[in-house]
Amino acid sequence: MTPAQAAQAVQGALARGDWDKAVTALQVLALADPRNASIRYNLGLALRRLGKDEEALAALASACNLAPSHLNARFEHAACLMDLGHLDDAGKAFSDYCRAADQDADGWLNLGRIRLRLGDAQGAVEALERCLALRPDDREARLARGEAVQLEDRERGHADLRRLYADHPQDRARLLKAMTQGPRGRLPLSGTRLAVR
């Protein structure tokens, strides 16, 4: 496939969700234009769709190196790190991203989730509150914030989680786990403490 054929093929492949064909065309284009960050970014996205996250990570890192101001590439690079379980690196990448894109609720939510998984309760609460300031009705951010508050302050955290337990019946299993298996001890399984009115 020539670069001209690849350029013609890639748009249709992306539009159809033909990720294999898109990757092939984007690889041809990347060889022909190695300094083009957008090609690397789109290659990373297509590789992610195929579940090839390690290869996607390399393409996205290349896009970020070529164009540090490419915010979409920075977000996807951080998300790929997170999905691969590289939490320290993902936390740093999302922290850097959020400084550059401080109005992106998704960035703050992901940063909060990572900090929570790393046991940084205060950092998680701060990031999740930034998310909620931008998107007050974000259920996932509220639940994660409740878990983070529990890590930071057991009593206040349990009270927050009990309120969430009453308000979000679809998330009760997750909330019950957070309340009873937190790293700072256990909450007794008492029906009166979890009563929903």
Side-chain angles (χ1 to χ4, degrees):
M1 181 183 302
T2 68
Q5 291 169 327
Q8 189 173 14
V10 74
Q11 294 302 324
L14 290 171
R16 290 189 310 278
D18 184 347
W19 307 115
D20 286 312
K21 189 168 187 172
V23 165
T24 300
L26 287 162
Q27 287 171 333
V28 169
L29 292 173
L31 287 173
D33 190 359
R35 307 283 311 152
N36 188 318
S38 292
I39 291 170
R40 303 286 178 170
Y41 167 69
N42 284 299
L43 176 58
L45 294 181
L47 287 164
R48 296 246 307 149
R49 293 294 190 136
L50 291 172
K52 297 180 177 182
D53 284 347
E54 291 289 347
E55 293 176 52
L57 184 62
L60 293 165
S62 178
C64 292
N65 289 334
L66 290 168
S69 63
H70 193 310
L71 292 178
N72 289 340
R74 289 174 63 182
F75 181 94
E76 293 299 334
H77 178 252
C80 194
L81 285 165
M82 181 175 67
D83 292 347
L84 286 167
H86 305 302
L87 297 183
D88 288 324
D89 291 337
K92 181 180 180 333
F94 268 118
S95 181
D96 292 344
Y97 171 80
C98 287
R99 275 195 294 279
D102 67 346
Q103 297 300 303
D104 186 343
D106 289 327
W108 289 111
L109 175 61
N110 286 336
L111 179 58
R113 287 175 173 155
I114 291 166
R115 287 179 171 168
L116 179 60
R117 287 184 60 194
L118 291 172
D120 176 8
Q122 182 179 359
V125 169
E126 289 170 6
L128 293 163
E129 286 180 349
R130 292 291 299 267
C131 175
L132 288 166
L134 295 165
R135 204 165 52 205
D137 296 329
D138 190 304
R139 190 178 103 237
E140 180 59 33
R142 287 187 179 285
L143 296 173
R145 184 189 173 283
E147 292 177 65
V149 169
Q150 179 182 346
L151 288 177
E152 194 174 45
D153 179 340
R154 182 177 171 188
E155 275 310 303
R156 186 168 65 105
H158 284 176
D160 282 359
L161 289 173
R162 284 193 299 273
R163 273 192 302 279
L164 288 167
Y165 185 90
D167 294 341
H168 298 281
Q170 69 276 28
D171 295 309
R172 287 187 177 153
R174 173 182 170 181
L175 289 162
L176 186 60
K177 182 177 179 184
M179 286 187 280
T180 61
Q181 297 179 10
R184 290 192 175 187
R186 305 208 180 280
L187 174 71
L189 290 176
S190 166
T192 58
R193 296 189 78 179
L194 295 176
V196 178
R197 296 169 203 235

